[in-house]
Amino acid sequence: MTSFPTHNGAVQPTLPFITPPHTNESLFLPRRSRQVPPEAWQVFPTKIPAQWHGFAKDKGYEIVRRVRDKNHIVLECQTCGGMTAHKVYTLRSAQPECAACQYDRIIETAKAAGLIFLGYHPTDRHQGFFRAPCGHELIRQFEFIERCAKGDATPRCETCHAAKEQGEAEARGWDLIGPDPQNDPNYRLYRHICGHEQRVARVNMQTGRFCCEECGEGWSSAPSYIYAMRFVFPDGTQVVKLGFSRDPQSRLHYQLKRSTEAGSTGAKKSETNSSEIDGELLRQVPMQSGHLALCVEKRLHVEIKRTYPDAALPVERFDTWLRVKSEIYVAELEPVILAMLTRLHGDARDLN
């Protein structure tokens, strides 16, 4: 058995071949024989019945020698030239599998999936060890690697993914402690800078749509912003939005853009996903609280409606792309809204 430690040392992969004593050749072994030590595969000096050679030729092999005991032989594959040890009973009653060909197929499949095959799992025949492009080692089922090679799935490194989640948490003043104690795969356990530990959905940690239950503020009392955003839809339509949010960047990237599902009007599904909607935060003006931001935003919309009554777009013009029902304006109103925010910024000290 050939083995080597993994990055965590918990389980060691095995390779399907050994180098028997007094030879320089690689002898591949069937899965159930990989625990047998190399020194057991000595030549067994006994004559090979002529009938066995006929069995081997009919099944794509040549018999090289008898090995280990009277029940085992070495078969050379006529396709790849690899040598595999098999029981005589397997040769006589079934089609022996070339372990060398199987090993080559796994290596090529892993390569197509962007991985390097390191070896078989010692106790689970459905799994193997692979090295990801990042350098970390993964344990995955062979069936999953085949789907990755076809482009139907993507292998993910747990080590790098954990570092990514930790970075998401640190960006919002939290530390990732570990999995959810209630075993919900969508949640994690985090610790806030104030010391409070809390279950938070990962998507909420990414978007910032939550607060610390110990020291956090609700939206009405927390600082907020009045913002202006520009959106360009895949069909070329350009619009501008005026609104308020505690986190305009999160609002832009995670809350406003609709996915591939169509809007609530029942229109056909869009063939273009949200990543193809171009969005840009044009300006944001800080407000002391969410309540103040709400009041100011309503005042601005009333002013726009009174001065530009036809500037607001009907919902059917944008709900395929955005998760809102109102307050989306024609592109021509963008300089007007930016001028309003410039004026608001000058007045913000008095407002706050």
Side-chain angles (χ1 to χ4, degrees):
M1 177 180 68
T2 303
S3 64
F4 44 90
T6 67
H7 66 280
N8 56 19
V11 186
Q12 294 181 335
T14 61
L15 293 176
F17 56 84
I18 60 166
T19 302
H22 312 299
T23 70
N24 294 321
E25 64 190 23
S26 295
L27 178 62
F28 285 81
L29 304 175
R31 178 177 58 87
R32 296 181 184 275
S33 298
R34 290 174 193 156
Q35 303 302 321
V36 179
E39 56 268 21
W41 299 96
Q42 299 276 3
V43 175
F44 189 74
T46 307
K47 184 178 179 181
I48 301 173
Q51 187 180 25
W52 293 5
H53 290 287
F55 293 148
K57 185 176 181 180
D58 291 343
K59 297 180 180 181
Y61 295 95
E62 290 185 7
I63 300 177
V64 178
R65 58 179 171 270
R66 298 180 75 163
V67 69
R68 185 178 169 186
D69 54 34
K70 65 184 181 67
N71 297 318
H72 289 82
I73 53 176
V74 175
L75 300 178
E76 181 178 355
C77 177
Q78 294 180 355
T79 300
C80 73
M83 289 182 284
T84 306
H86 277 290
K87 288 185 176 180
V88 176
Y89 176 79
T90 303
L91 175 64
R92 293 173 63 93
S93 63
Q95 174 62 49
E97 182 176 22
C98 175
C101 287
Q102 182 191 51
Y103 183 58
D104 290 341
R105 286 194 298 269
I106 293 176
I107 290 175
E108 289 303 313
T109 302
K111 184 178 179 180
L115 305 171
I116 298 174
F117 180 56
L118 300 178
Y120 295 87
H121 195 285
T123 59
D124 188 339
R125 65 186 180 89
H126 299 292
Q127 295 192 120
F129 286 73
F130 303 85
R131 177 169 289 118
C134 61
H136 296 125
E137 294 177 15
L138 317 177
I139 300 177
R140 294 292 185 274
Q141 292 190 350
F142 294 113
E143 183 271 337
F144 175 74
I145 300 301
E146 290 175 358
R147 290 195 287 119
C148 291
K150 296 176 183 177
D152 297 335
T154 303
R156 185 181 73 183
C157 172
E158 289 88 352
T159 303
C160 293
H161 186 69
K164 180 180 180 181
E165 291 191 357
Q166 175 63 22
E168 294 169 352
E170 290 177 352
R172 300 195 179 277
W174 294 75
D175 282 322
L176 175 65
I177 299 177
D180 176 39
Q182 299 183 20
N183 297 319
D184 188 326
N186 297 314
Y187 279 72
R188 309 287 187 269
L189 183 63
Y190 299 91
R191 181 183 294 111
H192 193 222
I193 54 176
C194 70
H196 174 66
E197 295 183 3
Q198 183 174 326
R199 295 174 63 245
V200 180
R202 187 191 171 207
V203 64
N204 288 342
M205 182 60 69
Q206 292 173 320
T207 62
R209 300 183 68 184
F210 74 103
C211 63
C212 176
E213 296 171 353
E214 185 71 20
C215 67
E217 300 174 288
W219 72 268
S220 61
S221 59
S224 190
Y225 298 88
I226 302 291
Y227 65 77
M229 295 178 184
R230 177 195 300 138
F231 292 97
V232 181
F233 301 150
D235 63 4
T237 301
Q238 182 172 312
V239 300
V240 61
K241 174 169 173 53
L242 173 67
F244 83 96
S245 174
R246 184 170 60 179
D247 188 340
Q249 288 290 350
S250 174
R251 181 82 170 140
L252 172 63
H253 295 293
Y254 297 105
Q255 300 168 31
L256 287 175
K257 297 178 183 180
R258 191 178 291 281
S259 67
T260 55
E261 293 295 328
S264 58
T265 59
K268 291 177 62 179
K269 289 183 180 180
S270 168
E271 295 179 357
T272 313
N273 62 33
S274 60
S275 65
E276 295 172 298
I277 303 171
D278 185 20
E280 179 182 356
L281 178 62
L282 300 175
R283 186 157 192 183
Q284 60 184 28
V285 179
M287 295 282 108
Q288 186 177 25
S289 68
H291 177 71
L292 176 61
L294 175 62
C295 295
V296 172
E297 184 218 24
K298 286 185 175 180
R299 190 191 71 196
L300 295 176
H301 285 304
V302 169
E303 181 180 340
I304 291 173
K305 185 175 182 180
R306 183 177 61 248
T307 310
Y308 304 95
D310 299 324
L313 288 173
V315 63
E316 60 269 18
R317 293 277 301 277
F318 58 81
D319 78 333
T320 297
W321 311 110
L322 299 176
R323 293 191 183 95
V324 290
K325 299 298 181 183
S326 60
E327 301 166 354
I328 301 295
Y329 299 104
V330 295
E332 290 76 11
L333 204 66
E334 181 179 308
V336 174
I337 292 177
L338 291 178
M340 295 173 72
L341 294 191
T342 298
R343 185 181 72 234
L344 178 62
H345 180 73
D347 298 338
R349 180 174 298 179
D350 295 335
L351 289 170
N352 291 328

mmCIF file of all heavy atoms in Angstrom, residues 242-265:
data_model
loop_
_atom_site.group_PDB
_atom_site.id
_atom_site.type_symbol
_atom_site.label_atom_id
_atom_site.label_comp_id
_atom_site.label_asym_id
_atom_site.label_seq_id
_atom_site.Cartn_x
_atom_site.Cartn_y
_atom_site.Cartn_z
ATOM 1 N N LEU A 242 -34.032 57.186 -6.932
ATOM 2 C CA LEU A 242 -33.775 57.970 -5.727
ATOM 3 C C LEU A 242 -34.359 57.205 -4.547
ATOM 4 O O LEU A 242 -35.505 56.755 -4.596
ATOM 5 C CB LEU A 242 -34.439 59.347 -5.847
ATOM 6 C CG LEU A 242 -34.417 60.233 -4.597
ATOM 7 C CD1 LEU A 242 -32.990 60.661 -4.258
ATOM 8 C CD2 LEU A 242 -35.321 61.454 -4.791
ATOM 9 N N GLY A 243 -33.565 57.003 -3.487
ATOM 10 C CA GLY A 243 -34.058 56.256 -2.346
ATOM 11 C C GLY A 243 -33.215 56.490 -1.113
ATOM 12 O O GLY A 243 -32.352 57.369 -1.084
ATOM 13 N N PHE A 244 -33.474 55.697 -0.067
ATOM 14 C CA PHE A 244 -32.658 55.777 1.137
ATOM 15 C C PHE A 244 -32.342 54.364 1.604
ATOM 16 O O PHE A 244 -33.090 53.414 1.369
ATOM 17 C CB PHE A 244 -33.371 56.573 2.245
ATOM 18 C CG PHE A 244 -34.359 55.771 3.053
ATOM 19 C CD1 PHE A 244 -34.000 55.210 4.268
ATOM 20 C CD2 PHE A 244 -35.665 55.579 2.593
ATOM 21 C CE1 PHE A 244 -34.904 54.473 5.008
ATOM 22 C CE2 PHE A 244 -36.573 54.841 3.327
ATOM 23 C CZ PHE A 244 -36.196 54.284 4.546
ATOM 24 N N SER A 245 -31.205 54.213 2.286
ATOM 25 C CA SER A 245 -30.781 52.900 2.776
ATOM 26 C C SER A 245 -29.683 53.083 3.818
ATOM 27 O O SER A 245 -28.898 54.033 3.750
ATOM 28 C CB SER A 245 -30.257 52.029 1.623
ATOM 29 O OG SER A 245 -29.724 50.806 2.121
ATOM 30 N N ARG A 246 -29.639 52.149 4.751
ATOM 31 C CA ARG A 246 -28.551 52.150 5.735
ATOM 32 C C ARG A 246 -27.232 51.748 5.076
ATOM 33 O O ARG A 246 -26.163 52.123 5.519
ATOM 34 C CB ARG A 246 -28.900 51.179 6.878
ATOM 35 C CG ARG A 246 -27.884 51.158 8.002
ATOM 36 C CD ARG A 246 -28.396 50.387 9.193
ATOM 37 N NE ARG A 246 -28.702 49.001 8.851
ATOM 38 C CZ ARG A 246 -29.159 48.113 9.729
ATOM 39 N NH1 ARG A 246 -29.378 48.485 10.985
ATOM 40 N NH2 ARG A 246 -29.418 46.880 9.358
ATOM 41 N N ASP A 247 -27.310 50.952 3.991
ATOM 42 C CA ASP A 247 -26.113 50.482 3.281
ATOM 43 C C ASP A 247 -26.396 50.513 1.785
ATOM 44 O O ASP A 247 -26.836 49.524 1.204
ATOM 45 C CB ASP A 247 -25.761 49.062 3.730
ATOM 46 C CG ASP A 247 -24.419 48.584 3.190
ATOM 47 O OD1 ASP A 247 -23.951 49.155 2.198
ATOM 48 O OD2 ASP A 247 -23.861 47.619 3.738
ATOM 49 N N PRO A 248 -26.172 51.640 1.119
ATOM 50 C CA PRO A 248 -26.498 51.749 -0.309
ATOM 51 C C PRO A 248 -25.782 50.730 -1.190
ATOM 52 O O PRO A 248 -26.359 50.261 -2.176
ATOM 53 C CB PRO A 248 -26.074 53.181 -0.653
ATOM 54 C CG PRO A 248 -26.171 53.925 0.638
ATOM 55 C CD PRO A 248 -25.737 52.934 1.679
ATOM 56 N N GLN A 249 -24.534 50.375 -0.866
ATOM 57 C CA GLN A 249 -23.820 49.385 -1.679
ATOM 58 C C GLN A 249 -24.516 48.032 -1.607
ATOM 59 O O GLN A 249 -24.652 47.333 -2.615
ATOM 60 C CB GLN A 249 -22.364 49.275 -1.221
ATOM 61 C CG GLN A 249 -21.492 50.466 -1.583
ATOM 62 C CD GLN A 249 -21.225 50.553 -3.085
ATOM 63 O OE1 GLN A 249 -21.522 49.635 -3.847
ATOM 64 N NE2 GLN A 249 -20.665 51.674 -3.525
ATOM 65 N N SER A 250 -24.936 47.633 -0.423
ATOM 66 C CA SER A 250 -25.674 46.377 -0.277
ATOM 67 C C SER A 250 -27.010 46.459 -1.015
ATOM 68 O O SER A 250 -27.432 45.511 -1.672
ATOM 69 C CB SER A 250 -25.900 46.072 1.200
ATOM 70 O OG SER A 250 -26.722 44.939 1.359
ATOM 71 N N ARG A 251 -27.657 47.604 -0.899
ATOM 72 C CA ARG A 251 -28.927 47.815 -1.596
ATOM 73 C C ARG A 251 -28.741 47.653 -3.100
ATOM 74 O O ARG A 251 -29.549 47.015 -3.773
ATOM 75 C CB ARG A 251 -29.429 49.221 -1.272
ATOM 76 C CG ARG A 251 -30.763 49.589 -1.906
ATOM 77 C CD ARG A 251 -31.907 49.062 -1.111
ATOM 78 N NE ARG A 251 -33.188 49.602 -1.569
ATOM 79 C CZ ARG A 251 -34.292 48.892 -1.668
ATOM 80 N NH1 ARG A 251 -34.288 47.611 -1.334
ATOM 81 N NH2 ARG A 251 -35.408 49.431 -2.071
ATOM 82 N N LEU A 252 -27.652 48.197 -3.625
ATOM 83 C CA LEU A 252 -27.387 48.141 -5.057
ATOM 84 C C LEU A 252 -27.092 46.717 -5.517
ATOM 85 O O LEU A 252 -27.677 46.245 -6.505
ATOM 86 C CB LEU A 252 -26.206 49.049 -5.396
ATOM 87 C CG LEU A 252 -25.659 48.969 -6.824
ATOM 88 C CD1 LEU A 252 -26.702 49.413 -7.829
ATOM 89 C CD2 LEU A 252 -24.383 49.801 -6.949
ATOM 90 N N HIS A 253 -26.210 46.030 -4.817
ATOM 91 C CA HIS A 253 -25.694 44.752 -5.325
ATOM 92 C C HIS A 253 -26.531 43.539 -4.923
ATOM 93 O O HIS A 253 -26.496 42.518 -5.603
ATOM 94 C CB HIS A 253 -24.259 44.554 -4.861
ATOM 95 C CG HIS A 253 -23.297 45.553 -5.430
ATOM 96 N ND1 HIS A 253 -22.985 45.587 -6.770
ATOM 97 C CD2 HIS A 253 -22.603 46.572 -4.851
ATOM 98 C CE1 HIS A 253 -22.122 46.571 -6.990
ATOM 99 N NE2 HIS A 253 -21.878 47.184 -5.850
ATOM 100 N N TYR A 254 -27.288 43.632 -3.828
ATOM 101 C CA TYR A 254 -27.967 42.437 -3.330
ATOM 102 C C TYR A 254 -29.485 42.536 -3.271
ATOM 103 O O TYR A 254 -30.170 41.528 -3.226
ATOM 104 C CB TYR A 254 -27.463 42.092 -1.924
ATOM 105 C CG TYR A 254 -25.999 41.741 -1.879
ATOM 106 C CD1 TYR A 254 -25.069 42.645 -1.361
ATOM 107 C CD2 TYR A 254 -25.534 40.530 -2.347
ATOM 108 C CE1 TYR A 254 -23.716 42.332 -1.318
ATOM 109 C CE2 TYR A 254 -24.187 40.205 -2.311
ATOM 110 C CZ TYR A 254 -23.288 41.115 -1.787
ATOM 111 O OH TYR A 254 -21.967 40.792 -1.754
ATOM 112 N N GLN A 255 -30.039 43.742 -3.250
ATOM 113 C CA GLN A 255 -31.468 43.863 -2.983
ATOM 114 C C GLN A 255 -32.292 44.350 -4.164
ATOM 115 O O GLN A 255 -33.435 43.932 -4.335
ATOM 116 C CB GLN A 255 -31.689 44.817 -1.796
ATOM 117 C CG GLN A 255 -31.017 44.344 -0.520
ATOM 118 C CD GLN A 255 -31.000 45.405 0.553
ATOM 119 O OE1 GLN A 255 -31.903 46.238 0.631
ATOM 120 N NE2 GLN A 255 -29.966 45.422 1.386
ATOM 121 N N LEU A 256 -31.729 45.215 -4.987
ATOM 122 C CA LEU A 256 -32.531 45.830 -6.035
ATOM 123 C C LEU A 256 -32.604 45.010 -7.319
ATOM 124 O O LEU A 256 -33.671 44.878 -7.917
ATOM 125 C CB LEU A 256 -31.989 47.225 -6.357
ATOM 126 C CG LEU A 256 -32.266 48.292 -5.296
ATOM 127 C CD1 LEU A 256 -31.573 49.592 -5.672
ATOM 128 C CD2 LEU A 256 -33.769 48.514 -5.142
ATOM 129 N N LYS A 257 -31.474 44.442 -7.742
ATOM 130 C CA LYS A 257 -31.453 43.729 -9.020
ATOM 131 C C LYS A 257 -32.211 42.416 -8.905
ATOM 132 O O LYS A 257 -31.983 41.627 -7.994
ATOM 133 C CB LYS A 257 -30.010 43.457 -9.450
ATOM 134 C CG LYS A 257 -29.194 44.708 -9.699
ATOM 135 C CD LYS A 257 -27.774 44.348 -10.080
ATOM 136 C CE LYS A 257 -26.908 45.574 -10.255
ATOM 137 N NZ LYS A 257 -25.521 45.211 -10.631
ATOM 138 N N ARG A 258 -33.082 42.189 -9.861
ATOM 139 C CA ARG A 258 -33.871 40.956 -9.864
ATOM 140 C C ARG A 258 -33.074 39.835 -10.526
ATOM 141 O O ARG A 258 -32.238 40.077 -11.388
ATOM 142 C CB ARG A 258 -35.183 41.169 -10.622
ATOM 143 C CG ARG A 258 -36.192 40.040 -10.457
ATOM 144 C CD ARG A 258 -37.483 40.351 -11.190
ATOM 145 N NE ARG A 258 -38.228 41.438 -10.584
ATOM 146 C CZ ARG A 258 -38.998 41.313 -9.502
ATOM 147 N NH1 ARG A 258 -39.089 40.139 -8.883
ATOM 148 N NH2 ARG A 258 -39.658 42.343 -9.023
ATOM 149 N N SER A 259 -33.345 38.591 -10.127
ATOM 150 C CA SER A 259 -32.681 37.433 -10.725
ATOM 151 C C SER A 259 -33.312 37.119 -12.063
ATOM 152 O O SER A 259 -34.059 37.914 -12.626
ATOM 153 C CB SER A 259 -32.783 36.226 -9.782
ATOM 154 O OG SER A 259 -34.128 35.818 -9.671
ATOM 155 N N THR A 260 -33.078 35.891 -12.577
ATOM 156 C CA THR A 260 -33.579 35.518 -13.898
ATOM 157 C C THR A 260 -35.083 35.391 -13.927
ATOM 158 O O THR A 260 -35.685 35.337 -14.994
ATOM 159 C CB THR A 260 -32.955 34.188 -14.341
ATOM 160 O OG1 THR A 260 -33.206 33.194 -13.338
ATOM 161 C CG2 THR A 260 -31.460 34.347 -14.544
ATOM 162 N N GLU A 261 -35.733 35.300 -12.734
ATOM 163 C CA GLU A 261 -37.182 35.226 -12.723
ATOM 164 C C GLU A 261 -37.766 36.551 -13.188
ATOM 165 O O GLU A 261 -37.254 37.631 -12.890
ATOM 166 C CB GLU A 261 -37.698 34.909 -11.315
ATOM 167 C CG GLU A 261 -37.326 33.520 -10.825
ATOM 168 C CD GLU A 261 -37.985 32.438 -11.658
ATOM 169 O OE1 GLU A 261 -39.104 32.662 -12.153
ATOM 170 O OE2 GLU A 261 -37.377 31.379 -11.832
ATOM 171 N N ALA A 262 -38.879 36.488 -13.893
ATOM 172 C CA ALA A 262 -39.522 37.704 -14.364
ATOM 173 C C ALA A 262 -40.197 38.418 -13.214
ATOM 174 O O ALA A 262 -40.334 37.914 -12.113
ATOM 175 C CB ALA A 262 -40.540 37.368 -15.459
ATOM 176 N N GLY A 263 -40.649 39.621 -13.466
ATOM 177 C CA GLY A 263 -41.317 40.414 -12.446
ATOM 178 C C GLY A 263 -42.681 39.877 -12.105
ATOM 179 O O GLY A 263 -43.188 38.914 -12.665
ATOM 180 N N SER A 264 -43.344 40.539 -11.179
ATOM 181 C CA SER A 264 -44.614 40.066 -10.652
ATOM 182 C C SER A 264 -45.750 40.206 -11.635
ATOM 183 O O SER A 264 -46.862 39.769 -11.383
ATOM 184 C CB SER A 264 -44.950 40.853 -9.379
ATOM 185 O OG SER A 264 -45.011 42.235 -9.656
ATOM 186 N N THR A 265 -45.531 40.848 -12.769
ATOM 187 C CA THR A 265 -46.598 41.034 -13.745
ATOM 188 C C THR A 265 -46.897 39.776 -14.514
ATOM 189 O O THR A 265 -47.830 39.723 -15.291
ATOM 190 C CB THR A 265 -46.210 42.139 -14.737
ATOM 191 O OG1 THR A 265 -44.992 41.774 -15.383
ATOM 192 C CG2 THR A 265 -46.023 43.471 -14.032
#
